[in-house]
Amino acid sequence: MKNQKLNDLRSLVKELVLQENSSRLLTEAAFTPENFPPDIIIYVSQEPGSFQITPYVTFKDGKKVHAGVLSIIKTKRFGDCHNSYMVLGSISKIKGLGPLLYDIAIDIASHLGGGLMSDRDNVSPDARQVWSFIEKSRSDIIKKQLDNHENELTPYDDDNCDIDIASKGGENWINSPLSKVAYRPGLPIVKKLLAVGKIEIDKSLKDELSL
């Protein structure tokens, strides 16, 4: 049943990724809550154990265009993994928006669980760049090291996780950003976006986040 939910969510992400968009929406700079474009709003919806972060662009005629998605889920299929949420898939049709979607996901996953980790089955080159940037350049994010199921690093099981994705290409899995969980308490990015009216969150999730 759990595996079916994972497959269903992955199918939904793929469907959203493949949707046609007549306008190719691109910007140059990476977005932050302080420089967020006025015509974009981000919606966060929740299902049991999972949620989706979906940006939309609103045009002058009122038409809304779906501009991406980031879907995450809580699952024990791959181990305890610091009680983290896992990215199931992400796509952004707006250059510079993808990292902000990850920031929102990290905030929520850190409040509801132990943080956010990459998909354990497949990570795109763009997503790898995001995780590498988080590892090397984001001092505001705590990186929790995952262990393998043989307890190579610690004698505890709560950090054990499938780490095959972190060793693909011959990389030492311990040094890979894909063997880390990104954690940041306090919901700082979500709170800033709420303050400027650029994010809408399902009421049930908003209550759960005490926002």
Side-chain angles (χ1 to χ4, degrees):
M1 186 70 178
K2 291 181 179 179
N3 289 351
Q4 183 61 46
K5 183 173 184 178
L6 282 171
N7 292 334
D8 289 346
L9 283 169
R10 282 201 173 96
S11 296
L12 174 60
V13 171
K14 287 179 181 178
E15 179 182 340
L16 291 170
V17 169
L18 293 173
Q19 284 180 351
E20 291 291 336
N21 182 358
S22 58
S23 299
R24 188 68 178 176
L25 304 167
L26 296 174
T27 60
E28 292 301 323
F31 295 141
T32 67
E34 291 76 20
N35 73 345
F36 206 77
D39 56 348
I40 299 176
I41 191 163
I42 296 173
Y43 295 89
V44 184
S45 58
Q46 182 185 37
E47 293 185 7
S50 66
F51 57 89
Q52 291 187 37
I53 303 163
T54 311
Y56 285 86
V57 175
T58 302
F59 292 94
K60 291 181 179 179
D61 61 2
K63 179 182 178 182
K64 288 185 178 180
V65 176
H66 176 271
V69 66
L70 192 154
S71 181
I72 71 176
I73 189 171
K74 174 73 78 66
T75 175
K76 295 294 185 180
R77 173 184 167 189
F78 303 99
D80 286 341
C81 306
H82 285 303
N83 193 37
S84 64
Y85 279 76
M86 182 185 78
V87 175
L88 272 178
S90 64
I91 184 69
S92 175
K93 297 177 182 179
I94 304 175
K95 187 176 181 181
L97 183 58
L100 183 61
L101 301 184
Y102 274 83
D103 262 324
I104 295 168
I106 290 168
D107 273 11
I108 297 174
S110 298
H111 190 91
L112 300 180
L116 184 71
M117 66 178 178
S118 73
D119 193 323
R120 310 321 291 168
D121 290 326
N122 184 55
V123 178
S124 70
D126 286 345
R128 281 181 178 270
Q129 288 184 2
V130 172
W131 286 107
S132 180
F133 183 77
I134 290 172
E135 168 72 9
K136 296 176 182 177
S137 303
R138 293 298 299 273
S139 60
D140 60 315
I141 296 174
I142 298 166
K143 295 86 177 180
K144 299 179 180 179
Q145 177 67 53
L146 293 169
D147 197 2
N148 59 21
H149 292 296
E150 288 71 44
N151 287 326
E152 186 173 341
L153 299 182
T154 75
Y156 312 109
D157 292 336
D158 59 352
D159 57 357
N160 289 7
C161 199
D162 285 3
I163 48 80
D164 289 348
I165 190 69
S167 59
K168 285 187 177 179
E171 184 177 10
N172 183 332
W173 68 268
I174 297 173
N175 297 328
S176 170
L178 303 184
S179 71
K180 311 296 191 297
V181 171
Y183 179 81
R184 180 180 53 217
L187 300 166
I189 301 300
V190 169
K191 288 177 179 177
K192 287 179 180 179
L193 288 169
L194 279 171
V196 295
K198 302 310 298 183
I199 189 169
E200 294 186 7
I201 304 172
D202 276 356
K203 185 180 184 306
S204 60
L205 177 57
K206 199 171 184 179
D207 291 344
E208 198 171 347
L209 296 173
S210 300
L211 292 170

